[in-house]
Amino acid sequence: MLSRPSKQLEGSAPLWGPGFDQHILGFAVSSLAHALNAFGNLNSAILFAATARACGPFDQTPGRKRPVSINALAASIGRPFETTRRHATALIEEGLIDRSPSGLSVTVEAIVEPRIAQFTDSCHDLLVQLVEDLTRSGFALPAPGGDITYDPRSGIGVALDLLLAAVESHGKREENFTRLALLLAIEWAHGRLADSRPDGASDPVIRTSTAARLLGLPYATTSRNIDALVDRGLLLRSGAGLRAAGAPLASAGRATFADRARQLIGRLAQCGFPMDHPGTAYIRGRMPPSDLG
């Protein structure tokens, strides 16, 4: 059973339930696809996002501008120290993060690098799209904060936090980021197609090719990782169709992610985001719909 919103978010009480879960899961899957496209692997992408959120420059709070240690990053993303160090070294060699005696940091120069800017802008616009879709679906959203002028950099920070929250909330289900992304993509696609069918007339068939297309992964890589998820009992296979197995960890992950998403939407409103007219906040524009075949 999903947890109820906390007291401070009672004004956003409608942001709760299966419909809300489906919307935020869609954000997570699309953001993970853009992360894969930008970095080639999710270990580097998640490490970069965690480093950016630990030390700026998307958050203007001075306390978050200090470099962060590899130990702290490894703990925050739930990865062994050596795995984190190896991917950090690769990002340093690419010039995407800096290493100093105090730790790791992301520079403004890295943020404006075209590939990284495309990734962060896409995460921001997926967040705008999420708010737009929640409004269209009849969810009540918090009012914008006072006379604050919205700065898209703050929105990028919230978007990266929401991406990290998806991975952290569901991480106990599967430690491998690629497999976790596939699990979430299949879960989202199944729910999306089920919702579009009258009276749930038939169980949607989500194929390996659908999951590969959603995340932009090679078919062979997708097939190999899906086989591992089936072997672990996290995915169920029926003929050519796949669906996520219901389990306590899945329900707990959804509840935790929903709680965090409500908090982050509240923070976005406090940043002056135009909740009444979210479409005015796009950096590059609304994303095309996902191809479910």
Side-chain angles (χ1 to χ4, degrees), residues 226-250:
I226 282 177
D227 286 345
L229 289 168
V230 171
D231 289 343
R232 288 195 57 207
L234 296 175
L235 283 179
L236 304 177
R237 197 194 305 268
S238 177
L242 297 161
R243 67 180 302 169
L249 282 179

Side-chain angles (χ1 to χ4, degrees), residues 8-284:
Q8 64 265 32
L9 292 171
E10 276 188 335
S12 299
L15 294 179
W16 178 78
F20 180 64
D21 290 345
Q22 186 69 7
H23 279 295
I24 60 175
L25 187 57
F27 167 89
V29 171
S30 295
S31 295
L32 288 166
H34 283 280
L36 274 166
N37 181 61
F39 291 88
N41 72 85
L42 287 178
N43 280 301
S44 292
I46 297 302
L47 177 60
F48 177 86
T51 306
R53 294 309 292 136
C55 65
F58 298 119
D59 191 292
Q60 302 307 305
T61 304
R64 293 188 70 168
K65 292 183 178 295
R66 295 191 297 269
V68 60
S69 70
I70 293 179
N71 269 327
L73 284 170
S76 72
I77 63 176
R79 284 292 174 271
F81 175 86
E82 183 54 34
T83 301
T84 306
R85 186 201 63 78
R86 185 173 68 252
H87 286 281
T89 299
L91 290 171
I92 291 165
E93 290 173 352
E94 287 187 74
L96 298 180
I97 61 177
D98 277 350
R99 176 164 48 198
S100 72
S102 302
L104 306 179
S105 59
V106 173
T107 65
V108 173
E109 290 76 16
I111 293 301
V112 299
E113 196 271 337
R115 171 168 57 103
I116 303 305
Q118 174 73 50
F119 165 63
T120 56
D121 287 356
S122 295
C123 287
H124 175 275
D125 287 352
L126 286 168
L127 179 63
V128 176
Q129 188 168 310
L130 170 63
V131 174
E132 206 170 37
D133 289 346
L134 288 171
T135 302
R136 291 174 178 175
S137 297
F139 287 94
L141 296 168
D147 297 326
I148 301 172
T149 300
Y150 176 65
D151 185 338
R153 289 176 299 177
S154 298
I156 290 173
V158 173
L160 293 180
D161 279 343
L162 189 55
L163 170 59
L164 292 169
V167 173
E168 180 181 0
S169 299
H170 290 278
K172 291 182 180 179
R173 299 170 67 185
E174 170 57 60
E175 292 184 353
N176 181 291
F177 285 150
T178 300
R179 292 175 188 169
L180 178 60
L182 285 166
L183 183 61
L184 296 180
I186 290 167
E187 190 171 43
W188 175 79
H190 192 276
R192 177 69 180 270
L193 289 179
D195 288 345
S196 67
R197 298 187 178 206
D199 304 321
S202 60
D203 194 32
V205 176
I206 309 300
R207 301 176 183 274
T208 299
S209 57
T210 304
R213 189 166 56 248
L214 284 173
L215 292 173
L217 285 169
Y219 183 88
T221 301
T222 304
S223 180
R224 182 175 66 252
N225 282 287
I226 282 177
D227 286 345
L229 289 168
V230 171
D231 289 343
R232 288 195 57 207
L234 296 175
L235 283 179
L236 304 177
R237 197 194 305 268
S238 177
L242 297 161
R243 67 180 302 169
L249 282 179
S251 297
R254 284 192 294 271
T256 302
F257 187 35
D259 281 341
R260 186 66 177 133
R262 283 189 288 272
Q263 294 169 3
L264 289 170
I265 290 170
R267 189 205 299 169
L268 184 65
Q270 293 168 7
C271 293
F273 183 87
M275 291 289 183
D276 296 337
H277 305 284
T280 63
Y282 282 114
I283 296 175
R284 301 184 185 228

